Amino acid sequence: MTRFTVNDRPVQYRMDPDTPLLWALRDASNLTGTKYGCGTGDCGACTVDIDGEAIRSCQVTIGKTEGRFVTTIEALSPDRGHPLQQAFAADNVSQCGYCVPGVIMAASVLLRRTSNPSDEQIDAAITNICRCGIYPRLRGAIQRAGRIMRGEERVAAAPPPGIAPEEAARTVPALGRPTPPPKR
């Protein structure tokens, strides 16, 4: 049994210690904000924070994570109040959004080290691949998040998730539970 901490909660997985952390997070813990992209560690969609380092979770096993502290996008701020989430919303960075959790996790590690990163530091820290090409807005949003963290700037809050699952199911019927066929 492998034990470590995920999002400030102790976890233990009854999985093969060679299981990639990505799959333990997604499949066993239902933390689906960490995305599968390439499986080779190149794209960064699966980036999480492990003990203060931005790590590609598809490249580290749960056995190698024993005793460590893992933070996923879900724990950054459930109300979208983290400066990066605020800046990404204010600067309209996301397009399809698939890569954004990994980018934000890598950027959060960078901003913990320096709240005023240079373009060169951002380029070195954010090696994630975005198929939509958010790069022109990405640097600005990370720098804005740094200003928010330093108290030099404020932005209007990003809208909270705000829609209850049952309301979403009414709006989009495919999100509801399937109804069983009538009995004959």
Side-chain angles (χ1 to χ4, degrees):
M1 189 167 324
T2 307
R3 298 168 195 227
F4 50 94
T5 303
V6 176
N7 298 339
D8 294 324
R9 292 191 169 134
V11 296
Q12 43 188 333
Y13 293 111
R14 293 181 183 166
M15 303 170 86
D16 184 325
D18 289 331
T19 302
L21 175 61
L22 169 66
W23 299 119
L25 294 172
R26 289 185 60 79
D27 295 344
S29 294
N30 199 32
L31 296 170
T32 57
T34 304
K35 304 297 185 203
Y36 173 78
C38 64
T40 60
D42 294 316
C43 75
C46 66
T47 302
V48 296
D49 177 331
I50 301 178
D51 293 335
E53 297 291 324
I55 304 288
R56 311 288 166 100
S57 65
C58 71
Q59 296 297 293
V60 62
T61 65
I62 61 173
K64 299 280 185 195
T65 312
E66 181 86 32
R68 299 179 78 184
F69 290 84
V70 176
T71 305
T72 69
I73 190 73
E74 287 88 353
L76 205 58
S77 173
D79 67 353
R80 299 180 187 171
H82 188 279
L84 279 163
Q85 293 165 312
Q86 294 292 307
F88 270 58
D91 289 354
N92 199 27
V93 173
S94 299
Q95 285 189 20
C96 84
Y98 197 82
C99 68
V100 170
V103 171
I104 286 179
M105 292 310 297
S108 72
V109 169
L110 171 65
L111 289 176
R112 241 184 282 123
R113 292 187 181 141
T114 176
S115 66
N116 193 12
S118 65
D119 286 346
E120 294 77 22
Q121 289 171 309
I122 293 171
D123 293 345
I126 312 300
T127 58
N128 304 52
I129 295 171
C130 172
R131 64 183 175 205
C132 298
I134 63 171
Y135 306 112
R137 295 181 305 279
L138 182 59
R139 277 190 196 152
I142 292 171
Q143 290 167 340
R144 177 180 259 189
R147 290 191 302 273
I148 295 167
M149 290 174 78
R150 295 188 308 269
E152 297 171 4
E153 184 175 337
R154 292 183 57 121
V155 295
I163 187 166
E166 54 278 354
E167 182 61 29
R170 274 194 290 280
T171 305
V172 182
L175 294 176
R177 295 191 193 289
T179 55
K183 293 187 180 183
R184 295 178 190 203

